[in-house]
Amino acid sequence: MKVGILTFPNSISYGATMQMYALYRAVQTLGHEAEIINYHNAYMKEERHHDTRKSAPVKRFLRTRARMLTHARLYSAFKRFEAERMTLYPARAFSERQKLAAVGRRYDTVICGSDQVWNPHITDSDMSYFLDFCGENTRRVSYAPSFGIEEFSAEFTAAVREELQRFDAVSVREKMGCDFAQSLVEREVSVVADPTFLLEPSDWQAMAQRHPAAVGDYVLYFAVHRSDKLFRRCRELAQQQGMKVVVVGGNVLKRMKNRDPMIDYAVDVTPNEWLYLMCHARYVVTDSFHGTVFSVMFHRDFFLQYPHHANSRLVHLITELGLGERVLSEGTAFTTDSVRYDNVDRRRAEMQAQSREFLRKALEV
């Protein structure tokens, strides 16, 4: 069977890239031919992923170009990761919705997911991610998409209800999303694991490439949302343990200005280097869903701060794995206890088995 996957290619997000690769590999492992549909949502391309400030188009364009030049290594690394490990069709990304119908006819089945492809705030309510372009002869499957929000407009709800009725198999990534989707359709809606859990930790370790900052014991700081408080807490942990902090992110100027020998900025980290930094950290401090996922995958002692928005998938993951004690809240201190991964691994294995079975059945004709 030929399977197209509609997700978020052309992104410089570690989580988006890793989940895309994992779902692609999982489909291949089941004996199917897989391709990533190289669709780049116009809103994400022109607004969200580049510059959310309200400025003149020319200024926005120049600012975006400057960022791409400054972080040229990062952009090229993500493109290389996609090109070397996955088949993208067509080779050149497109953003025109009207082209999707012709592309969709290439496939026996189209899967949407994972990541927050059903979050209207990210895609500007693009119904392509609900596979509205697929013809009657194409099977429609969702694998672990996330809505990422808890309140939906009446217009969005009505549109989702109409499209979900046409799906052959529906799954989401967290209970909140399941409850919402289940209220709209009569067929069963399943909760499955993020695609990254479909692969084994050894699969990810084999892809890791050494980063020069990964020397000795260190606390890895990986935050998607700026939080001075979380960074201060990270430094507090590092000082307690007598370790340096390795920060994923920043820029060359920030690294040059840094005068603290116990802080190292890992700038423009490639996806393979990111895996290495995660795998070899003594501790991980994060607010990221996939930062948490790979901490679990690599048996790291981690601490998580919930971001202010889009918490549902993180709450569900922490609850399912029984890791509530790793969540930082106001007034809580860092625990000196290590994560008991024997229990976590058992739960993770159950999630993995159930999720693989859903995907196998969803792709049966």
Side-chain angles (χ1 to χ4, degrees), residues 244-291:
K244 69 175 181 178
V245 176
V246 175
V247 181
V248 176
N251 53 49
V252 174
L253 183 60
K254 193 165 190 176
R255 185 169 61 188
M256 291 175 59
K257 287 183 176 180
N258 176 46
R259 295 293 181 265
D260 190 333
M262 299 307 290
I263 298 178
D264 193 351
Y265 286 92
V267 178
D268 292 345
V269 174
T270 72
N272 305 83
E273 291 171 339
W274 184 81
L275 288 170
Y276 191 94
L277 287 168
M278 291 291 303
C279 185
H280 291 82
R282 180 63 185 84
Y283 295 94
V284 176
V285 176
T286 188
D287 66 353
S288 159
F289 177 84
H290 284 102

Side-chain angles (χ1 to χ4, degrees), residues 100-259:
L100 277 167
V103 173
R105 286 193 290 270
R106 288 175 56 85
Y107 308 109
D108 303 297
T109 298
V110 175
I111 304 175
C112 59
S114 171
D115 221 315
Q116 296 187 63
V117 297
W118 284 357
N119 186 333
H121 296 168
I122 289 179
T123 68
D124 197 29
S125 301
D126 185 349
M127 297 309 293
S128 302
Y129 294 101
F130 291 89
L131 309 185
D132 65 346
F133 61 90
C134 289
E136 294 301 319
N137 295 324
T138 304
R139 289 174 55 81
R140 302 166 180 82
V141 173
S142 69
Y143 184 86
S146 176
F147 287 99
I149 59 173
E150 299 181 10
E151 295 183 2
F152 308 91
S153 69
E155 182 181 8
F156 180 73
T157 300
V160 171
R161 176 184 288 109
E162 179 179 352
E163 296 305 329
L164 285 186
Q165 302 290 347
R166 304 165 66 208
F167 273 65
D168 296 278
V170 181
S171 71
V172 293
R173 193 164 50 181
E174 68 274 325
K175 185 179 183 303
M176 184 278 296
C178 179
D179 292 341
F180 176 62
Q182 192 67 78
S183 70
L184 304 180
V185 294
E186 295 181 0
R187 66 168 42 89
E188 179 183 3
V189 177
S190 301
V191 177
V192 294
D194 185 82
T196 49
F197 282 124
L198 296 176
L199 304 188
E200 299 295 338
S202 58
D203 296 324
W204 295 111
Q205 289 168 345
M207 296 165 55
Q209 293 179 357
R210 185 176 181 83
H211 189 280
V215 178
D217 288 336
Y218 59 92
V219 179
L220 186 69
Y221 180 75
F222 176 61
V224 176
H225 305 89
R226 180 187 173 96
S227 173
D228 293 337
K229 181 169 68 174
L230 183 60
F231 185 61
R232 285 197 299 270
R233 298 206 68 178
C234 180
R235 293 190 64 184
E236 173 191 332
L237 172 65
Q239 290 169 355
Q240 289 175 0
Q241 300 297 324
M243 301 176 187
K244 69 175 181 178
V245 176
V246 175
V247 181
V248 176
N251 53 49
V252 174
L253 183 60
K254 193 165 190 176
R255 185 169 61 188
M256 291 175 59
K257 287 183 176 180
N258 176 46
R259 295 293 181 265

Side-chain angles (χ1 to χ4, degrees), residues 16-28:
T17 300
M18 298 305 175
Q19 64 81 23
M20 176 171 61
Y21 171 73
L23 184 55
Y24 176 86
R25 284 293 299 132
V27 170
Q28 285 187 324

